[in-house]
């Protein structure tokens, strides 16, 4: 979990700032996501769901692992947070007709069997005027060297076999998948690790890690 803990502040800030710009909110307010229904797909133990709830979001955390959901529920209870954690999949939520102001798929799409289908099912849950934000890994030789050889074999940040390079998704492929889900990409940004400062930071370099935000047309800004 250590790499995620280091990555979390950056992706949280990106989600907050992107959502506040889109919905006309003041990002400095502690409750800047108040009234927004947020889906965190692949929530794990709730490392992202919890700070989103602290910002006022009505957070639903979904993960297919019963164990992960149990851990997340215990931690939220200990923290005094109300988060709707569910041991389920994005497909099941979409089939149930769930709709959200913000749908998050952070570090998920590089693990699914059919990217276009998965993204479309997630996009189906975005309300008119809503957002979908995705974080994933680009399929380049640089990402193979850094995200697999470096992160899994040299630095051992992740267990070996965590990622399969051929399942990484290029920004163009992700944008096409989002467009097939009737969403329009409004922002793309790279994420790099600064060895000197021991922290992640936003960058124009999208060769390895990157994030994209897309919107569904229609609906008033909230």
């Amino acid at each position: 979990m250590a790499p995620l803990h280091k990555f979390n502040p950056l992706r949280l800030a990106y989600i907050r700032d992107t959502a506040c710009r889109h919905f006309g909110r003041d990002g400095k307010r502690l409750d800047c996501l108040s009234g927004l229904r947020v889906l965190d797909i692949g929530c794990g133990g709730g490392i992202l769901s919890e700070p989103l709830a602290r910002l006022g979001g009505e957070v639903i955390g979904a993960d297919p692992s019963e164990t992960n959901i149990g851990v997340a529920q215990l931690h939220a209870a200990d923290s005094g947070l109300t988060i709707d954690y569910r041991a389920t999949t994005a497909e099941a939520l979409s089939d149930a007709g769930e709709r959200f102001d913000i749908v998050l798929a952070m570090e998920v799409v590089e693990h699914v069997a059919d990217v276009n289908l998965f993204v479309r099912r997630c996009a189906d849950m975005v309300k008119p005027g809503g957002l979908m934000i995705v974080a994933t890994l680009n399929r380049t030789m640089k990402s193979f060297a850094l995200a697999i050889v470096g992160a899994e074999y040299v630095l051992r940040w992740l267990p070996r076999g965590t990622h399969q390079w051929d399942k990484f998704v290029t920004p163009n492929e992700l944008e096409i998948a989002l467009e097939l889900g009737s969403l329009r990409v409004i922002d793309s940004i790279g994420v790099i690790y600064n060895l000197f400062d021991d922290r992640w930071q936003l960058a124009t370099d999208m060769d390895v890690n990157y994030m994209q935000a897309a919107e569904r047309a229609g609906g008033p800004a909230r």
Side-chain angles (χ1 to χ4, degrees):
M1 293 297 290
L4 270 182
H5 278 284
K6 286 186 178 180
F7 193 20
N8 210 46
L10 182 73
R11 61 182 187 167
L12 174 65
Y14 179 76
I15 293 165
R16 179 200 63 207
D17 294 346
T18 303
C20 287
R21 281 196 305 271
H22 184 75
F23 293 107
R25 304 293 185 87
D26 180 357
K28 295 179 181 179
R29 288 183 60 94
L30 296 179
D31 62 347
C32 60
L33 300 184
S34 178
L36 297 176
R37 197 162 191 249
V38 182
L39 173 62
D40 182 12
I41 299 169
C43 65
I47 189 173
L48 183 59
S49 295
E50 289 197 4
L52 290 169
R54 289 192 181 96
L55 290 175
E58 179 190 339
V59 180
I60 291 82
D63 198 288
S65 168
E66 294 272 4
T67 300
N68 285 349
I69 291 299
V71 170
Q73 288 172 333
L74 285 172
H75 199 273
D78 288 343
S79 302
L81 294 170
T82 301
I83 300 172
D84 183 1
Y85 284 118
R86 307 182 193 180
T88 188
T89 63
E91 292 82 358
L93 289 168
S94 181
D95 288 341
E98 294 279 5
R99 295 294 180 267
F100 302 89
D101 298 292
I102 304 171
V103 172
L104 305 173
M106 313 300 282
E107 293 77 48
V108 175
V109 297
E110 67 270 21
H111 299 288
V112 304
D114 187 328
V115 172
N116 286 347
L117 177 60
F118 175 79
V119 170
R120 180 172 62 79
R121 298 309 303 276
C122 294
D124 286 344
M125 294 185 281
V126 178
K127 293 179 181 179
L131 284 175
M132 181 169 173
I133 299 176
V134 183
T136 190
L137 288 152
N138 196 353
R139 191 175 63 256
T140 62
M141 291 311 299
K142 186 175 177 180
S143 71
F144 180 82
L146 296 180
I148 293 183
V149 177
E152 296 184 14
Y153 289 84
V154 178
L155 297 174
R156 297 185 181 180
W157 282 353
L158 301 167
R160 294 181 181 182
T162 296
H163 291 113
Q164 295 176 256
W165 180 79
D166 61 342
K167 296 184 80 171
F168 288 3
V169 183
T170 69
N172 185 59
E173 290 168 345
L174 181 56
E175 183 167 358
I176 289 171
L178 290 162
E179 289 176 348
L180 289 172
S182 300
L183 302 181
R184 181 179 70 89
V185 173
I186 58 172
D187 190 56
S188 299
I189 192 75
V191 180
I192 62 171
Y193 181 69
N194 188 321
L195 279 171
F196 297 104
D197 293 338
D198 189 28
R199 66 182 180 90
W200 293 90
Q201 61 189 48
L202 299 179
T204 56
D205 183 351
M206 297 173 62
D207 289 346
V208 185
N209 294 82
Y210 69 96
M211 294 185 282
Q212 284 189 351
E215 66 176 1
R216 180 178 295 283
R222 299 176 56 169

